[in-house]
Amino acid sequence: MATFEYRCPQDGSFDVVMPVGTAGPSTSCPRCDGPATRVFSAPRLTRTPAALREAIDRTERSAEQPEVVGQVPGRRPARRSTNPAHARLPRW
C-alpha cells in the first residue's frame, strides 16, 4: 500500500491510501465530492516511527563521524580501597 496526495481546488490537499500503481490522475474529494487532481510526488510507502528513523539516521552518521566516548555509558568508575592490605587481593 502507498499513500498518494491529491489536491482539491476548494478544500486543499488530502491523502489516499491504495495499492501501488492504481492511483489515477484524479479522484473525488472526500469533503465536497468535487474533482481533485493528483499531486505528482514520490509515493510514501511507509511511515517510519520517529524513534526508529532517528536510530537509522544516527547509524548512518556514525559510519562517517563516529561518536567517541571515554567510558561505558551508565557505569560508575570502580572505587579503590586505601587499605594497603587490599592491594594484594585479586582484581576481577
Side-chain angles (χ1 to χ4, degrees):
M1 297 300 271
T3 303
F4 297 94
E5 183 180 357
Y6 286 86
R7 183 169 297 129
C8 173
Q10 184 177 359
D11 295 318
S13 297
F14 62 94
D15 294 337
V16 177
V17 177
M18 58 182 66
V20 175
T22 60
S26 65
T27 189
S28 59
C29 176
R31 294 182 198 112
C32 69
D33 206 32
T37 57
R38 181 172 171 201
V39 177
F40 285 95
S41 60
R44 294 179 298 235
L45 300 175
T46 61
R47 292 186 182 191
T48 307
L52 177 59
R53 184 178 60 245
E54 177 58 33
I56 292 170
D57 291 343
R58 191 177 329 115
T59 302
E60 289 175 358
R61 280 193 310 268
S62 71
E64 297 294 325
Q65 301 169 351
E67 295 179 14
V68 179
V69 296
Q71 64 182 13
V72 177
R75 292 189 73 184
R76 290 178 276 166
R79 293 188 308 169
R80 299 258 173 150
S81 173
T82 58
N83 186 336
H86 291 164
R88 294 187 303 267
L89 293 174
R91 305 256 188 258
W92 303 108

